Every structure is written in structure tokens, then in C-alpha cells.
Amino acid sequence: MREYDLLVGGESPSAAEQTTVKDPASNQPVSHVTRADETDVAFAVESASEAFETWREVDPTTRSQYLMDIAEGLRDKQDHIAQRHTEETGRSVTDSKRSVEFAAEYFEYYAGLTHQIKGETVPLSTGEFDFTKCEPLGVTGHIIPWNSPLLLASRSIAPALACGNTVVAKPAELAPMAVMELGKVAHDAGLPDGVLNMVPGEGTIAGEALVTDKRVNELTFTGSKEVGFHIRETVSDRLIPLNLELGGKSPNIVFDDADLEAAAEGAVKLFNNAGQSCYAGTRLFVADEIYDAFIERVVDRIERMTVAKDPNETDVSALISPSAQSEVDAYVESALEAGATVTTGGCIPFEDGNFYEPTLIEDAPDDAAVSCEEIFGPVLTAYRFESEREVVERANDTEYGLYAGVWTTDLERANRIAGHIEAGTVTVNNYASPIPQAPFPAYKQSGAGSEYATAALRHYTKVKNVRMAVDKTLR
Ligand code: NDP
């Protein structure tokens, strides 16, 4: 059984309590991870505060080199980390290796930007010189979810470090191992002690302690809407920047002139990571003229998917926990009660492991729970539509606004729809995953703050304006 301790100030202290991490494909234990309590978190914040005083002075070239070394360390340990990622998330080793690669790319991307964290000069009279600089915030707190733990940790830790901040990160109880491995890689890369601290532990204890610690000057959270709003409420007496990424109910819209093969492939991308993805295209809107022919292609693809206990053989991995599996099943039941049809799937295939069959639901009312709430499972719901105006209205009829897909060969139409969809990202003819180089904004209840791309550099810094009186007389 693997053992993981905390990572605080360059040390690996253990604590009295431990979590047992289980493999979602079997619910068998795979590791024991020390659980941080309030005192451990306070110590981690203390270490991060102390380390900030020197880390903020490290020049951009050196900071960049540290990030490059972390990226290299991740690649060197790719097989080992991917194995841990597979054990805790149930995803295939190939998929997990890709996650390690993406994590390395985040560190490389932000390594390349450390010299771009710069201010501007403000034109005033010649007797004055006004310039701005972007200063780091101090200690940043990162609360990580379990659905894509390493990648989601890297997407916020890399820019925070690049900007000269220090980090205290709390991985999810259900999947902390790959994130702890990232901490070890950073330590082995020589990142100064206290710059990156890891405090695995319960959300309501370690997470809450991080959120309420007034020495933490920024918080990044990815997870449920309920906890995100709770965090916002908790820090409402502090004017600190928040990055909240709270999920979605994304529309994927297929017009009658679309390349149907490509669109069907895009529709079933929902089943990656068993639908446990914030940007998954969960609501499939299909033009009436092509609805039956298109759904046939989607069903054909779904029915060819393998659900197997071996993570390297399955196309649809296990859900993270038995309770997640029960919740997905309850959503499907509720759809049937609301008058919907389960076209394919809708069952728990094995007695052990948290698997759920890839499922397509048709004829669900727009106000049914499956149409409105984030299911976070392998469940796609399909709807017919007749006009652009109608589909835009229905696509926007959700509290979320993270992502959307549009499939059409008419680029004017694509542009019209992209302009009217209330979502941070609209993909056209390719339901592509987020990438470090492009921003990942959120509309409505999907989140607040700025992640990815150069937007993250603005988030993890504050602007200071310096205005000087200068003597312009030559002597
Ligand atoms: P949570 O929001 O509970 O968990 C996300 C992270 O927040 C975990 O690290 C968790 O800790 C931590 N946390 C929980 N409570 C607190 C708190 N009071 N203060 C600080 N941190 C806290 O999500 P769940 O794991 O319960 O998943 C529930 C649903 O949330 C999913 O079904 C999905 O709909 C959504 N979700 C969305 C994600 C996204 O990518 N947007 C990611 C994950 C979930 P702990 O380790 O104890 O759980």
C-alpha cells in the first residue's frame, strides 16, 4: 500500500489521521494519505508566507527555469504518476499519461510567460514619470477536485508560481495521489522550501482552514456550485481575488448542414472520463430534419463502446465513488418518471466497481432534472429543434454558461450562434478540450475569475501604479 504524507515547507510531516484512497474500478484500497487538520494548514500557510519573501524576489529567468524543471520532472516520472492517476480516478493509463503530458505543458506554457508579467508607462507631462508594475499577491490557496486532479492542479499552480506567488494546495480526498506526486516533482526540481505546499485532507476541515486563513491572499477552487458559493460567502469580508470554476450544462448544437460523422464523434466525447467533466457537452440539440439519422449514428457509436473493469480496455471509466454511481442512476430514474425515453444504456453493468453504462436519453422535458442539473456521469440527453432562434433560447435556458459546441458548414451561421450563446467558450465543428494558450472564461453560475492563457497572469498579480515627479532640467 502506498503512503503519502503532507508536503509543508519542504518537509513531509505525517498527521494522526489518514484517508484510504480507493480504486473506483474495484473500490479496493490503493493508498493511505495523511489528512491535514487546521494546525497543519496553518503551518503550511506560515511556510508559504515566509517563502514568499524570497520567492517574490527571484528573477523571471530563474522562475521560468524552475517551471521548466517541473515540466521535465513530470515527463520523467510520467509512467509512475499516470499509474497513480489511473488507480485513483479509474481512467485508462493512456488517458492518465495524457494528463501528465498536459500538466507538463501548463508548466512550460507559464515558464514561457514569466517575462511577460509587465506593466505600462502612462504618458504625463515631462515633469512626471508614471508606470505600473504587476506584483504577486502572496500566498495563494488552491482547492483541487478529483475529476482531473493533476491537470486542474497544474492549470492554477503553474501561473500562480510564474507570477511570484507561493502556493498551498488541498487535493481532493478521493484522488490526491497524482497531485502529491506533482509536489514531490517540484521538490526534486529544487523549488525552494515553502513555495509549494500540499495539504491533503477533508474539504470541511483542511479546505475550510485554508479558506478562512486571512494570510491567504487568493483562492482558486474547482468543484460544486454549493461549495463555490460557500467559499465566496466565507471570504466576503476580505477583498481577495477568487477563481471559481463550478461546472456546466453545456449545449452541443448540430445543424442540418453539419458534417454528421464529425458531429457524432464530437457528441460522444461526453463519455470521456465517464462524463465527469465540467465542460462536457451534455445537452445535444439536433435539427429536426436530421434528428433521426443523426441519433442513429450517435447510438451506433455508444453501443460500440466497451465498458470493462480493466481501465485499459474500457471506453467508459468507472465513476469516482459508489455515491456518484447512485446519483447518476437516480438521475436516469427521474428522467423516466418525467416521461423521457432511455434509448440506450441506463444500467449499472457490474456489481462491483462504480461503472455506469453510456446512456442516451431522448424526449426529456427541458425543465426535467436531467435537462437542467449537472449529472457528472455518462449521460447524454438529446433534443430536437427547428430554428436558430429556438435553439439559442433553449441552449441558454440554464444557470450555467461554461462551454458550447456548434456544428455547421455555414460559417455565418456559426458566427451568429457563437454571438448569441451565453457561454465562456464556443467551439465550432470540433468539441475541443481547453488548452493553456486560450482563456477559459465562465458565464453565469459556471464561475468567476480568469484561468488559462495570459488572463491567469492578470488574476495572480495586482497592479501597482508608481507616479514620480522628475526633474527634466539638464545640468
Ligand atoms: P466538492 O465541491 O465538494 O469538492 C471539490 C473540492 O472542494 C474537494 O477538494 C473538496 O474536498 C473541497 N471542499 C469541499 N467542501 C469544502 C469546504 N467547505 N471548504 C473548502 N473546500 C471544500 O465536489 P464533490 O467532490 O462533492 O462533487 C460534487 C459535484 O460537484 C459533482 O457531481 C459535480 O457536479 C461538481 N464538480 C464539478 C467539478 C468541476 O470540474 N467543475 C469538479 C468536481 C465536482 P474533499 O476532498 O473533502 O471532497
Side-chain angles (χ1 to χ4, degrees):
M1 186 80 58
R2 286 180 192 276
E3 302 274 334
Y4 288 86
D5 289 323
L6 313 181
L7 185 62
V8 177
E11 308 273 315
S12 298
S14 55
E17 298 238 351
Q18 282 192 324
T19 308
T20 301
V21 179
K22 293 182 180 165
D23 179 348
S26 63
N27 287 316
Q28 292 303 309
V30 289
S31 71
H32 291 135
V33 180
T34 289
R35 254 185 185 160
D37 63 13
E38 292 90 343
T39 315
D40 299 314
V41 173
F43 184 45
V45 175
E46 178 82 36
S47 301
S49 301
E50 279 170 20
F52 177 62
E53 295 311 317
T54 42
W55 180 244
R56 67 178 305 170
E57 304 298 340
V58 171
D59 67 89
T61 306
T62 310
R63 245 186 284 141
S64 170
Q65 191 57 54
Y66 278 121
L67 297 192
M68 290 300 281
D69 291 348
I70 293 173
E72 193 182 330
L74 286 167
R75 288 212 178 87
D76 286 349
K77 287 182 79 182
Q78 186 175 31
D79 290 349
H80 172 79
I81 300 173
Q83 197 60 47
R84 305 291 81 76
H85 191 269
T86 289
E87 286 165 5
E88 64 188 356
T89 62
R91 292 167 75 166
S92 71
V93 172
T94 310
D95 206 11
S96 293
K97 280 188 181 168
R98 222 176 288 137
S99 271
V100 181
E101 172 56 30
F102 286 150
E105 286 174 16
Y106 278 98
F107 280 93
E108 280 169 347
Y109 175 73
Y110 286 105
L113 287 178
T114 56
H115 286 93
Q116 301 305 319
I117 304 166
K118 50 191 180 186
E120 53 189 15
T121 54
V122 180
L124 295 176
S125 71
T126 49
E128 279 192 289
F129 177 42
D130 191 311
F131 66 95
T132 65
K133 50 199 280 197
C134 296
E135 296 189 334
L137 303 170
V139 180
T140 58
H142 303 244
I143 297 176
I144 319 286
W146 43 262
N147 57 331
S148 204
L150 180 63
L151 192 149
L152 296 178
S154 303
R155 84 171 174 190
S156 66
I157 291 173
L161 294 178
C163 291
N165 302 287
T166 54
V167 169
V168 179
K170 191 210 85 64
E173 284 262 280
L174 292 166
M177 290 193 290
V179 180
M180 295 306 292
E181 292 288 348
L182 166 64
K184 286 188 190 181
V185 164
H187 183 257
D188 294 347
L191 197 69
D193 293 349
V195 172
L196 173 58
N197 306 277
M198 298 287 188
V199 285
E202 286 177 90
T204 49
I205 297 173
E208 199 76 32
L210 189 56
V211 170
T212 50
D213 195 313
K214 293 204 160 57
R215 296 167 297 175
V216 174
N217 289 335
E218 186 278 345
L219 284 164
T220 291
F221 166 83
T222 304
S224 63
K225 209 176 75 182
E226 292 68 29
V227 176
F229 274 71
H230 166 71
I231 290 174
R232 197 176 67 149
E233 189 84 14
T234 308
V235 301
S236 61
D237 61 343
R238 287 147 68 201
L239 292 174
I240 60 170
L242 287 182
N243 241 340
L244 302 175
E245 205 264 86
L246 310 179
K249 191 71 186 170
S250 302
N252 195 9
I253 305 169
V254 186
F255 284 96
D256 57 354
D257 60 351
D259 173 341
L260 298 191
E261 278 298 300
E265 223 23 73
V268 299
K269 276 194 180 175
L270 161 93
F271 298 106
N272 291 350
N273 197 13
Q276 300 170 116
S277 160
C278 52
Y279 66 90
T282 46
R283 293 182 297 145
L284 181 63
F285 290 96
V286 185
D288 196 37
E289 299 86 330
I290 53 154
Y291 183 90
D292 293 328
F294 184 72
I295 291 296
E296 210 171 287
R297 286 173 201 248
V298 172
V299 171
D300 177 56
R301 278 175 171 72
I302 294 176
E303 292 186 342
R304 278 192 281 120
M305 285 180 170
T306 304
V307 184
K309 291 182 187 173
D310 181 340
N312 293 313
E313 282 178 16
T314 194
D315 291 318
V316 183
S317 54
L319 291 157
I320 191 71
S321 64
S323 64
Q325 184 192 46
S326 311
E327 275 170 35
V328 170
D329 201 37
Y331 270 116
V332 174
E333 276 301 313
S334 76
L336 289 169
E337 282 162 21
T341 313
V342 174
T343 311
T344 185
C347 289
I348 293 173
F350 315 119
E351 274 183 17
D352 49 348
N354 311 322
F355 293 90
Y356 203 84
E357 286 182 349
T359 300
L360 177 69
I361 292 178
E362 292 182 88
D363 309 316
D366 282 4
D367 61 357
V370 278
S371 304
C372 305
E373 295 171 21
E374 186 175 50
I375 301 175
F376 236 52
V379 179
L380 181 62
T381 47
Y383 311 85
R384 288 174 191 270
F385 73 87
E386 289 181 355
S387 72
E388 287 180 11
R389 190 175 293 279
E390 176 207 336
V391 77
V392 165
E393 258 174 41
R394 292 171 69 195
N396 287 341
D397 187 16
T398 163
E399 59 181 346
Y400 293 108
L402 194 60
Y403 231 69
V406 181
W407 300 84
T408 174
T409 45
D410 177 347
L411 289 187
E412 284 195 16
R413 168 185 267 167
N415 196 38
R416 275 196 300 278
I417 303 295
H420 284 90
I421 289 285
E422 294 165 356
T425 298
V426 180
T427 62
V428 177
N429 294 332
N430 179 13
Y431 205 94
S433 307
I435 45 169
Q437 306 89 305
F440 187 55
Y443 276 41
K444 303 197 270 188
Q445 311 287 317
S446 278
S450 311
E451 299 208 76
Y452 293 74
T454 50
L457 302 182
R458 288 191 291 280
H459 177 81
Y460 288 106
T461 53
K462 56 181 179 273
V463 174
K464 177 173 280 173
N465 187 55
V466 181
R467 188 167 171 186
M468 295 183 187
V470 288
D471 184 352
K472 59 180 182 178
T473 324
L474 281 176
R475 288 154 210 256

